[in-house]
């Protein structure tokens, strides 16, 4: 697509967006370039997490100092995986247990708080976290652990509307930041370990009324304007019998939006149950039978209708809980080619064509991958079949299949924690973990609202000196330009800036800035609790600010096995730390 067509396409999409007061579609489209606010999760709907600001840079970052800190308070701590939003002199930040705060940017004082007051019996898989909100018009939108989406007034925090995504009693929840495109609030769902069905939904941002739904497991029907539209995929093409009805594929991390192709890109999680032999996927099959589409896949979706434009499945016949939900980031390479990149839970870094999602290349981004020998020319894994957990039905007692050691672990070479792309260096900065697992399969049957795994596991570190590893990766060659090792697992987001900096946090509580070309540590600050949040930066009155939320939790302490024991000393917390580079210290020392 040439530059003229791209410009015309973008202009047409903006013109078609509904007219609203407050934050507009045009504001959202330009969020990545604007420097005075942060309106979207990912600092732009392409999720590059790159700031064009240069006031703070390699020469003066040592002068970055705390401006204020805001505590979420109370006993509701646990993991804080959120990304703050910045708008009109306010910070809007979500917290554990489905809370949302409005905080004055200058003083750090609370202006209002909304608490979702969750019902008994919620079934969150991986801690009571929330990953952020979205702003449009005069409203702010966020999801809750009882699988609802709420619209609040930006100024007052009053409820504008509150809608049900799915039934939490069946295992559904919602933890991602919503995505807003052309006046629609786009959401996924969570609950992949409970035999739910992954789905993407679009609602009118002003009224909350559903416009379309798109289940991501084949055999299910989508809807458009209250009526059935089309079936997802082809019934029983890649799923045996009725297993598609509880096929998993949770869309739990939300999505991105590529305005150049007018495409939503969502990932689908693991197929259910984990035991691949029960899904007729335990051995090579002809064609795509047993692939279990569209689980463990990335999907390109039409934002107006919910129709699937294309798909790319990272792990067909998935059997290790290698969700396909990790973010898909749009970028333009050094030669002007428009591409997508995604670092999958399975340990491979993929580059796709942005027009049609077709496979271009893939390389490992972790040191040890045992489940596959590599990726073939079509983007399919070359399996090590002996590394697939064994079939329980073939065991002597029928209770437990053969145990294997697999790397990466089911928590992934990279899990939810977002990577960042630098428009200056052309590199991706990928937070990864070097760990494996003992894993085995077990018999299981579906029961509504109960865990639906059919597997057991124990996670183990692969190396004595580190688990976490932040890597600078060239998306043209797959080369690792540098690696920053961390003793504990990395579980938070990354941000890059035009000032040549890479920001991220560690479970040990350090908020760190590295040199984007060398990986050298240039600055750090101890926040008092583990960091699993997502940093942002903005400018106000000539000063550059950086914020991060500190508060240890997430999946690692809950599911981490031997790894969890290594980090059980870490303190919980719940604090927004905001730093600034004072004007008088902006010049390099």
């Amino acid at each position: 697509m040439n530059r003229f067509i791209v410009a015309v396409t973008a202009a047409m999409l903006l013109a078609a967006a509904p007219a609203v007061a407050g934050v507009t579609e045009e504001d959202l489209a330009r969020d990545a370039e604007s420097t005075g606010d942060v309106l979207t999760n990912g600092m732009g709907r392409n999720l590059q997490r790159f700031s064009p600001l240069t006031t703070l840079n390699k020469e003066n970052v040592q002068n970055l100092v705390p401006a204020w800190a805001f505590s979420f308070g109370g006993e509701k701590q646990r993991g804080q995986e959120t990304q703050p939003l910045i708008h009109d002199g306010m910070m809007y930040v979500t917290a554990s247990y489905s809370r949302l705060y409005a905080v004055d940017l200058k003083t750090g004082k609370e202006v209002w708080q909304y608490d979702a007051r969750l019902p008994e019996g919620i079934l969150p898989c991986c801690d009571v976290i929330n990953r952020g909100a979205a702003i449009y018009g005069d409203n702010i939108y966020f999801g809750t652990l009882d699988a609802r989406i709420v619209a609040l007034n930006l100024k007052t925090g009053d409820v504008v509307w509150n809608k049900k995504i799915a039934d939490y009693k069946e295992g559904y929840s919602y933890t991602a930041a919503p995505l807003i495109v052309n006046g629609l609030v786009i959401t996924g769902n969570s609950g992949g370990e409970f035999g739910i069905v992954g789905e993407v939904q679009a609602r009118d941002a002003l009224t909350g009324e559903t416009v379309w739904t798109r289940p991501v497991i084949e055999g299910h029907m989508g809807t458009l304007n209250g009526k059935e539209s089309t079936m997802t995929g082809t019934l029983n093409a890649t799923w045996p019998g009725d297993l598609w009805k509880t096929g998993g594929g949770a869309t739990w991390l939300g999505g991105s939006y590529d305005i150049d192709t007018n495409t939503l890109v969502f990932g689908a999680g693991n197929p259910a149950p984990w035991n691949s032999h029960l899904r007729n996927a335990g051995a090579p099959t002809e064609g795509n039978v047993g692939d279990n589409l569209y689980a463990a896949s990335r999907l390109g979706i039409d934002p107006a209708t919910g129709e699937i434009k294309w798909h790319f499945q990272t792990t067909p016949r998935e059997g290790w809980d290698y969700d396909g939900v990790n973010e898909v980031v749009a970028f333009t390479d050094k030669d002007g080619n428009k591409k997508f990149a995604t670092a999958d839970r399975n340990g491979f870094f993929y580059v796709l064509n942005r027009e049609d999602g077709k496979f271009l290349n893939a390389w490992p981004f972790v040191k040890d991958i045992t489940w596959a020998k590599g990726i073939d020319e079509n983007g399919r894994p070359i399996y090590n079949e002996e590394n697939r957990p064994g079939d329980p039905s073939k065991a002597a007692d029928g209770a437990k299949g053969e145990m294997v050691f697999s790397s990466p672990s089911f928590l992934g070479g990279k899990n939810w924690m977002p990577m960042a792309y630098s428009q200056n260096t052309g590199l991706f900065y990928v937070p990864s973990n070097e760990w494996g697992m003992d894993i085995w399969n077990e018999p299981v049957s579906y029961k509504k609202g109960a865990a639906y795994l059919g597997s057991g596991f124990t996670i183990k570190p692969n190396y004595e000196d580190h688990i976490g590893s932040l890597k600078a990766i060239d998306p043209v060659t797959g080369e690792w330009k540098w690696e920053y090792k961390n003793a504990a697992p990395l579980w938070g987001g990354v941000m890059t800036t035009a000032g040549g900096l890479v920001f991220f946090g560690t479970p040990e509580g350090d908020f760190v800035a590295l040199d984007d070309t060398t990986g050298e540590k240039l600055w750090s600050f101890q926040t008092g609790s583990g960091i699993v949040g997502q940093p942002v930066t903005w400018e106000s009155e000539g000063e550059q600010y950086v914020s991060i939320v500190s508060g240890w939790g997430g999946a690692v302490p809950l599911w981490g096995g031997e790894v969890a024991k290594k980090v059980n000393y870490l303190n919980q917390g719940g604090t927004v730390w905001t730093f600034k580079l004072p004007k008088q210290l902006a010049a390099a020392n």
Side-chain angles (χ1 to χ4, degrees):
M1 187 180 291
N2 64 42
R3 293 179 183 274
F4 174 75
I5 295 174
V6 168
V8 171
T9 301
M12 292 174 61
L13 291 170
L14 292 173
V20 295
V23 173
T24 65
E25 170 66 20
E26 184 174 7
D27 294 330
L28 298 180
R30 295 175 178 171
D31 189 39
E33 290 76 44
S34 64
T35 58
D37 52 22
V38 179
L39 299 175
T40 61
N41 183 267
M43 298 170 58
R45 294 180 298 190
N46 58 14
L47 306 188
Q48 288 188 359
R49 299 178 184 273
F50 171 80
S51 169
L53 284 169
T54 59
T55 304
L56 182 66
N57 53 57
K58 298 178 186 181
E59 285 69 39
N60 60 26
V61 67
Q62 71 271 15
N63 295 325
L64 192 64
V65 295
W68 50 261
F70 173 79
S71 172
F72 294 139
E75 298 178 357
K76 294 182 176 180
Q77 302 298 336
R78 306 283 288 271
Q80 310 294 346
E81 295 185 357
T82 187
Q83 180 211 288
L85 299 178
I86 310 298
H87 174 61
D88 195 22
M90 300 287 288
M91 173 184 288
Y92 298 94
V93 58
T94 62
S96 55
Y97 292 97
S98 305
R99 294 171 291 165
L100 176 61
Y101 296 83
V103 182
D104 186 283
L105 274 184
K106 288 189 175 181
T107 65
K109 292 183 178 179
E110 179 181 316
V111 176
W112 57 258
Q113 173 187 350
Y114 175 81
D115 189 325
R117 301 188 183 280
L118 300 167
E120 296 290 332
I122 58 171
L123 295 166
C125 148
C126 306
D127 206 358
V128 289
I129 57 92
N130 186 286
R131 297 189 176 97
I135 296 175
Y136 182 70
D138 294 323
N139 296 338
I140 186 163
Y141 307 82
F142 87 119
T144 63
L145 287 167
D146 56 343
R148 303 189 71 87
I149 178 76
V150 183
L152 306 173
N153 181 275
L154 278 168
K155 298 295 185 184
T156 66
D158 293 337
V159 175
V160 178
W161 52 258
N162 185 329
K163 300 292 184 178
K164 178 180 176 181
I165 295 172
D167 186 354
Y168 73 90
K169 295 179 182 178
E170 295 182 7
Y172 288 91
S173 56
Y174 188 61
T175 56
L179 175 65
I180 297 179
V181 175
N182 295 328
L184 297 177
V185 182
I186 317 292
T187 57
N189 60 18
S190 305
E193 272 52 74
F194 294 93
I196 59 89
V197 174
E199 187 172 81
V200 182
Q201 300 179 355
R203 286 179 170 78
D204 184 294
L206 300 182
T207 67
E209 295 305 309
T210 302
V211 175
W212 56 257
T213 67
R214 174 53 53 191
V216 300
I217 298 298
E218 69 176 28
H220 294 270
M221 295 296 297
T223 66
L224 178 63
N225 297 321
K227 299 179 180 179
E228 282 193 345
S229 55
T230 56
M231 180 182 287
T232 300
T234 302
L235 181 63
N236 290 135
T238 66
W239 285 85
D242 288 340
L243 285 175
W244 58 274
K245 293 182 178 179
T246 52
T251 50
W252 57 266
L253 195 53
S256 58
Y257 175 63
D258 178 33
I259 196 170
D260 291 350
T261 61
N262 189 31
T263 303
L264 301 171
V265 187
F266 270 72
N270 59 284
W274 289 20
N275 183 343
S276 62
H277 302 278
L278 292 177
R279 294 182 273 103
N280 207 22
T285 53
E286 294 183 5
N288 293 327
V289 177
D291 280 0
N292 305 136
L293 289 170
Y294 294 101
S297 300
R298 308 307 198 279
L299 301 175
I301 298 174
D302 186 324
T305 65
E307 293 298 320
I308 295 174
K309 295 182 173 185
W310 54 258
H311 80 275
F312 177 74
Q313 190 172 38
T314 45
T315 316
R317 301 194 295 115
E318 197 282 315
W320 301 266
D321 191 35
Y322 294 153
D323 285 26
V325 299
N326 287 1
E327 74 280 7
V328 176
V329 180
F331 74 104
T332 303
D333 70 14
K334 300 169 186 175
D335 297 323
N337 300 307
K338 295 181 181 296
K339 299 176 178 177
F340 286 129
T342 186
D344 196 77
R345 198 145 144 176
N346 68 19
F348 288 96
F349 183 94
Y350 295 83
V351 178
L352 309 177
N353 183 292
R354 220 194 298 173
E355 291 292 330
D356 54 15
K358 291 288 179 61
F359 172 76
L360 297 177
N361 222 324
W363 307 273
F365 68 91
V366 291
K367 300 179 182 71
D368 303 290
I369 296 177
T370 65
W371 67 276
K373 301 179 180 72
I375 305 297
D376 71 17
E377 67 276 9
N378 298 312
R380 289 182 69 90
I382 305 168
Y383 290 103
N384 287 320
E385 285 297 340
E386 66 276 10
N387 194 251
R388 183 179 295 274
D391 185 350
S393 68
K394 296 181 180 179
D397 60 2
K400 183 176 179 181
E402 180 184 1
M403 182 175 69
V404 298
F405 177 80
S406 295
S407 182
S409 80
F410 77 91
L411 289 178
K414 188 179 92 66
N415 201 279
W416 81 276
M417 55 278 194
M419 62 186 182
Y421 174 76
S422 171
Q423 297 177 15
N424 284 13
T425 65
L427 301 177
F428 279 88
Y429 300 89
V430 182
S432 64
N433 289 304
E434 304 285 352
W435 48 20
M437 62 179 171
D438 290 330
I439 181 171
W440 59 92
N441 285 329
E442 303 168 340
V444 67
S445 57
Y446 174 75
K447 181 180 178 181
K448 184 182 294 187
Y452 189 43
L453 300 184
S455 289
F457 45 82
T458 300
I459 294 181
K460 300 177 178 180
N462 287 353
Y463 297 93
E464 290 291 333
D465 65 331
H466 74 289
I467 300 172
S469 168
L470 179 64
K471 300 180 177 81
I473 297 178
D474 186 331
V476 176
T477 66
E479 179 186 358
W480 304 356
K481 295 296 185 179
W482 52 257
E483 176 186 14
Y484 181 93
K485 297 178 180 178
N486 193 72
L490 295 181
W491 208 254
V494 181
M495 175 182 71
T496 64
T497 76
L501 302 171
V502 179
F503 284 94
F504 70 104
T506 72
E508 293 91 340
D510 293 316
F511 188 38
V512 181
L514 305 181
D515 184 305
D516 63 359
T517 58
T518 67
E520 176 189 359
K521 183 191 288 188
L522 302 177
W523 173 89
S524 68
F525 180 88
Q526 173 54 233
T527 64
S529 182
I531 296 175
V532 293
Q534 310 165 56
V536 295
T537 188
W538 73 95
E539 67 175 353
S540 177
E541 298 178 355
E543 294 180 310
Q544 186 171 348
Y545 291 78
V546 181
S547 278
I548 187 69
V549 179
S550 173
W552 173 240
V556 174
L558 296 176
W559 294 78
E562 292 184 19
V563 171
K565 296 176 183 177
K566 288 179 174 288
V567 292
N568 62 9
Y569 68 92
L570 297 172
N571 293 320
Q572 290 188 352
T575 301
V576 183
W577 284 95
T578 296
F579 306 86
K580 75 172 181 177
L581 179 69
K583 289 181 181 179
Q584 63 271 27
L585 297 178
N589 284 347

